[in-house]
Each structure stands twice: as structure tokens, then as C-alpha cells.
């Protein structure tokens, strides 16, 4: 379990590095480089729109790779998804700016972002299921939380590189070529991840399904027919996690640098410190999930998010590093109370024969609902004098919707993830 958890953590860290480095670049430089004819506000909105494309393609990736995972095994998904995301990310670093090739530049950017999201849509399902299906029942949330630490590590890697380049280079150098370096570095990280995952064993639950000839022939069709309500409820429940996370890690960067005049280095440092604390807290929250239940933790995370959104905006609007750090930290702690346990919760809700498709589609559809729109909506409603209270109202509303969705889902602890249809049918 230690080796498997470490490999899953490293792989998700690399894939989320690829995804997050784009979000940071969108907040800091992509607007003027690829949409120069727009005003600063419109350019940022356009850059965040290309960022959103990655979320739209993630459910498609979960359908594609979910089919592979349910038909051919969880392990092939890990290799194929990592390779696709890595290649797409490296290519982003080579896309010429609008000044060089005109409208083809943003078009290429959108296409590569789509491929990034496609790969990441498959990554989560494969990494989480391989860990969850190997884990002992009473420690499943703990072991499954290690892939959930990966996004924190990936974020810190992506923004650490951006922070170092921002500090070492002049603004002109950073905008000219410095922002491309983190994308090029993704190639080396992808190679390391592929080597690390090459020796992983297939899930015992999938091997048992294959041995009995019980694999689903068309997993997506079965999920849509038998588990559609479960997919919608899990997507709606997870939406607040994505909304809060990307409001803190993406929109706040643009807001602080463009509106408050806070330097890139200071704001990145505040967010990175909060993400580091979140990563450390993840396994501890997962232990609570093993003890008190997955649904309980998800409800607590939604409630905490709803309560904290107005204090978050108040603290961010001060422009003071300590207060901005405290605001982002409170939001991310509410987020991880929920997301530390979803890697165990979602697989337990679906029967093994369609688990890779069902869990991944629900997870990534939540990303579309919460993550794709949040930077765009937040940027639009924050245009004006005074603190952007509209952002707080929007995030609070999303938190309350997610709270309602989780209230309609069943508790799965301490049921084994292989309990299958008996568990899923209680939700459907």
C-alpha cells in the first residue's frame, strides 16, 4: 500500500502540475500575449475562458478513459492519461504569441488545453481506483487520500517554478519566454511519472471481474441508464470544492495583481503557503472520514465553505499578505474537509463493473459546474469599486447547492467498495 500510494500521489502531482501551471499563466500573462486587442479585463476573461476549456473536456476524458478502465483495467489508464497530458502541456510552451501568428495562437492554445483536460479526466479515476480497490476497508479513506495530496504538490511545483522565474527575471523577460519554462519542464516530469507507474499491479477487484466475465460491455451506457441521478448528485456536491479551490488559486491571483496592485511574488507566496498547509492536513481529514463517515465530512466541508466566503473576500480585499494568507487558508481547509474523503466516497457509491466511468464522470462533471465557470464569473462580478462581494455571494450559493446534493446521498462507511449495487441503489 505504501508503494502504491506513493506512485499514485506522484502521478497525480505531475498531472495536476500540468493543469495548474496553465491556470497560473492564464491569471498572469496569457491575456496580453494571446488576446492583445482586448482591454486588460476582457483579456483576462478570454484567458480564463481558455482555462475553462480544460474543465469542459475533463468529463469527456473520464468517459473515454473510464471505458478503458472498466473494460481493460485501471493500470492502462494511468499510463495513457499521463502521456497525453504531458505532451499537451509541453506543446503549450511552444505556441507562438498572437503577435507572431495571429488568431492561430489562441486557437492552438484552446486545442492543447482541451487535450490537457482530456488526459486529466482519466487520471483521477485510474489513480484513485487503483489505490481504493487495494486498500483495507477500514482505512480506505486514509489510503485513498494520497492521490488527493497530489493536486497540492502539483500546485506547489507549478507555482514554485512560476514564483522563482517571476523573482529572477525582469517583467519583460518573464512575458517574453520565462512563462514557457514551466510548460517545457512538464516533459521531464511526465517521463519520471511513467517510469514510476510501470511496475504497479492491477486492481484485484478488476482482475476478479475479468476472471468471472462480469465486466460491463458499455460502461457509460450502463451508468447513464442506472446511475444518472447518482452522477448528478455527486457532480453537484463536488461543485463547491472546485469553485472554492479555483477562486483561491486562480481568480485571486488576477484580482490581487490587477486590482489591488499586489506583486505576483507576494500573492503567489500567500496562496502557496495555504496550499502547503492544505496538503499536510489531507491525510488527517481522511482519518476523520474513516472514523465519522464520508458523507458527514462532505456536509461539514460544504457548511464551512458557505460560512467562510464573505470573510475570505474581506481578508483578500485588504491587500495585506498575512490577511490574504488567512483568508485563503480558511477556504482551503473547508475544501479539504470534503475532498480528503471523496476518493473513497465516490468509488464506494458505484458498483465495481462501472466504477471507473461512474466515479470519474461525476468527479469531473463537478469540475465543469464549479471550476470552469468560477474564474470567469468571479472576474466579471468583481469589476467595480470596493470589495467584490458578488464573488462571495456566488461562492456561498454554490456551497449551499452542494450541501443539498450531499444531503441526498447515502453514507458508505464502513461498507466495502465492492458492495456494489446494494450501495449504489440506495442513492439511485
Amino acid at each position: 500500500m505504501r508503494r502504491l500510494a506513493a506512485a499514485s500521489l506522484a502521478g497525480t502531482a505531475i498531472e495536476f502540475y500540468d493543469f495548474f501551471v496553465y491556470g497560473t499563466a492564464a491569471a498572469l500573462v496569457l491575456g496580453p500575449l494571446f488576446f492583445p486587442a482586448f482591454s486588460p479585463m476582457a483579456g483576462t476573461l478570454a484567458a480564463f475562458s481558455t482555462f475553462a476549456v480544460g474543465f469542459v473536456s475533463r468529463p469527456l476524458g473520464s468517459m473515454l478513459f473510464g471505458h478503458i478502465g472498466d473494460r481493460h483495467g485501471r493500470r492502462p489508464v494511468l499510463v495513457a492519461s499521463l502521456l497525453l497530458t504531458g505532451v499537451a502541456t509541453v506543446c503549450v510552451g511552444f505556441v507562438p504569441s498572437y503577435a507572431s501568428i495571429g488568431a492561430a495562437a489562441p486557437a492552438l492554445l484552446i486545442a492543447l488545453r482541451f487535450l490537457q483536460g482530456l488526459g486529466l479526466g482519466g487520471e483521477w479515476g485510474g489513480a484513485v481506483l487503483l489505490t481504493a480497490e487495494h486498500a483495507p476497508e477500514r482505512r480506505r479513506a486514509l489510503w485513498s487520500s494520497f492521490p488527493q495530496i497530489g493536486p497540492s504538490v502539483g500546485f506547489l511545483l507549478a507555482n514554485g517554478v512560476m514564483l522563482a522565474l517571476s523573482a529572477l527575471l525582469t517583467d519583460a523577460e518573464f512575458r517574453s519566454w520565462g512563462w514557457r519554462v514551466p510548460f517545457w519542464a512538464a516533459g521531464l516530469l511526465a517521463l519520471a511519472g511513467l517510469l514510476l507507474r510501470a511496475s504497479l499491479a492491477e486492481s484485484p477487484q478488476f482482475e476478479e471481474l475479468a476472471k468471472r466475465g462480469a465486466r460491463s460491455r458499455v460502461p457509460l451506457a450502463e451508468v447513464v441508464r442506472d446511475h444518472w441521478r447518482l452522477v448528478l448528485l455527486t457532480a453537484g456536491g463536488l461543485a463547491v470544492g472546485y469553485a472554492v479551490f479555483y477562486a483561491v488559486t486562480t481568480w485571486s491571483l488576477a484580482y490581487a495583481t490587477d486590482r489591488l496592485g499586489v506583486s505576483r511574488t507576494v500573492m503567489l507566496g500567500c496562496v502557496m503557503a495555504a496550499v502547503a498547509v492544505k496538503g499536510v492536513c489531507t491525510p488527517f481529514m481522511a482519518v476523520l472520514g474513516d472514523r465519522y463517515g464520508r458523507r458527514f465530512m462532505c456536509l461539514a466541508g460544504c457548511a464551512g465553505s458557505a460560512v467562510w466566503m464573505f470573510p475570505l473576500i474581506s481578508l483578500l480585499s485588504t491587500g495585506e499578505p498575512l490577511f490574504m494568507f488567512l483568508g485563503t487558508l480558511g477556504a482551503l481547509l473547508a475544501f479539504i474537509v470534503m475532498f480528503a474523503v471523496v476518493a473513497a466516497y465516490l468509488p464506494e457509491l458505484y458498483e465495481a463493473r462501472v466504477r471507473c466511468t461512474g466515479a470519474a464522470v461525476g468527479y469531473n462533471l463537478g469540475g465543469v459546474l464549479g471550476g470552469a465557470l468560477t474564474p470567469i464569473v468571479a472576474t466579471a462580478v468583481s469589476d467595480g469599486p470596493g470589495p467584490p462581494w458578488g464573488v462571495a455571494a456566488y461562492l456561498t450559493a454554490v456551497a449551499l447547492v452542494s450541501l443539498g446534493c450531499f444531503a441526498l446521498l447515502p453514507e458508505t462507511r464502513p461498507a466495502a467498495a465492492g458492495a456494489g449495487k446494494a450501495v449504489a441503489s440506495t442513492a439511485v
Side-chain angles (χ1 to χ4, degrees):
M1 285 307 306
R2 290 188 183 92
R3 183 169 63 87
L4 183 61
S8 296
L9 190 159
T12 53
I14 292 166
E15 291 235 33
F16 276 92
Y17 166 90
D18 297 347
F19 203 72
F20 288 145
V21 78
Y22 190 101
T24 304
L28 299 179
V29 298
L30 295 187
L33 288 177
F34 290 89
F35 304 95
F38 292 6
S39 67
M41 172 64 73
T44 300
L45 281 170
F48 280 149
S49 296
T50 65
F51 176 74
V53 168
F55 284 98
V56 174
S57 62
R58 280 174 66 169
L60 299 178
S62 65
M63 295 174 193
L64 170 64
F65 288 105
H67 181 87
I68 296 172
D70 285 324
R71 287 292 303 161
H72 305 290
R74 318 323 190 191
R75 189 171 170 271
V77 171
L78 299 183
V79 175
S81 61
L82 181 58
L83 186 62
L84 175 60
T85 308
V87 170
T89 305
V90 171
C91 289
V92 170
F94 289 101
V95 176
S97 66
Y98 187 94
S100 300
I101 60 172
L108 284 172
L109 206 62
I110 291 170
L112 292 171
R113 181 60 176 174
F114 182 89
L115 293 177
Q116 266 193 329
L118 204 68
L120 193 62
E123 160 65 25
W124 186 86
V128 162
L129 287 192
L130 203 60
T131 306
E133 291 182 344
H134 276 92
E137 178 184 329
R138 294 190 178 276
R139 290 290 180 267
R140 185 174 291 123
L142 173 60
W143 287 114
S144 300
S145 72
F146 283 89
Q148 296 295 82
I149 301 173
S152 297
V153 177
F155 181 86
L156 292 173
L157 282 174
N159 288 279
V161 175
M162 282 287 193
L163 185 61
L165 291 168
S166 183
L168 293 173
L169 302 177
T170 65
D171 190 64
E173 290 172 333
F174 183 79
R175 291 178 179 274
S176 175
W177 59 268
W179 68 271
R180 299 179 183 273
V181 174
F183 291 92
W184 297 336
L188 296 176
L189 293 175
L191 287 175
L194 290 172
L195 291 173
L196 192 61
R197 288 182 163 180
S199 61
L200 294 181
E202 184 53 79
S203 157
Q205 292 188 32
F206 176 80
E207 289 182 337
E208 177 63 23
L209 283 173
K211 183 179 179 180
R212 293 189 290 108
R215 290 173 293 175
S216 174
R217 295 189 63 183
V218 188
L220 180 60
E222 194 169 330
V223 167
V224 172
R225 184 185 68 239
D226 298 332
H227 307 294
W228 61 270
R229 184 170 179 265
L230 181 56
V231 169
L232 293 179
L233 286 176
T234 53
L238 296 173
V240 64
Y242 283 101
V244 169
F245 187 84
Y246 287 101
V248 167
T249 60
T250 301
W251 167 77
S252 70
L253 292 176
Y255 172 71
T257 55
D258 295 344
R259 290 282 307 280
L260 302 179
V262 178
S263 73
R264 285 195 301 262
T265 303
V266 170
M267 192 59 205
L268 278 174
C270 291
V271 175
M272 286 174 65
V275 170
V277 176
K278 175 188 80 75
V280 171
C281 290
T282 301
F284 297 100
M285 297 299 178
V287 169
L288 295 178
D290 276 324
R291 181 165 185 176
Y292 298 108
R294 290 64 154 126
R295 180 174 175 269
F296 170 79
M297 296 296 288
C298 290
L299 292 172
C302 291
S305 297
V307 169
W308 190 249
M309 292 304 98
F310 279 91
L312 166 66
I313 296 303
S314 179
L315 291 167
L316 280 179
S317 298
T318 66
E320 295 293 330
L322 177 60
F323 292 137
M324 290 191 297
F325 164 72
L326 292 175
T328 56
L329 177 61
L332 291 180
L333 288 179
F335 160 85
I336 205 57
V337 166
M338 177 191 351
F339 267 60
V341 300
V342 296
Y345 193 24
L346 265 64
E348 289 171 349
L349 287 168
Y350 291 89
E351 55 185 312
R353 56 187 278 114
V354 296
R355 184 173 292 147
C356 196
T357 301
V361 169
Y363 185 85
N364 288 295
L365 188 58
V368 176
L369 299 176
L373 296 178
T374 293
I376 299 172
V377 172
T379 300
V381 301
S382 62
D383 186 21
W389 299 119
V391 177
Y394 169 75
L395 294 174
T396 301
V398 175
L400 294 175
V401 170
S402 294
L403 184 70
C405 290
F406 278 123
L408 296 174
L409 288 171
E411 178 59 74
T412 58
R413 184 195 64 90
K421 209 150 186 138
V423 173
S425 64
T426 61
V428 179

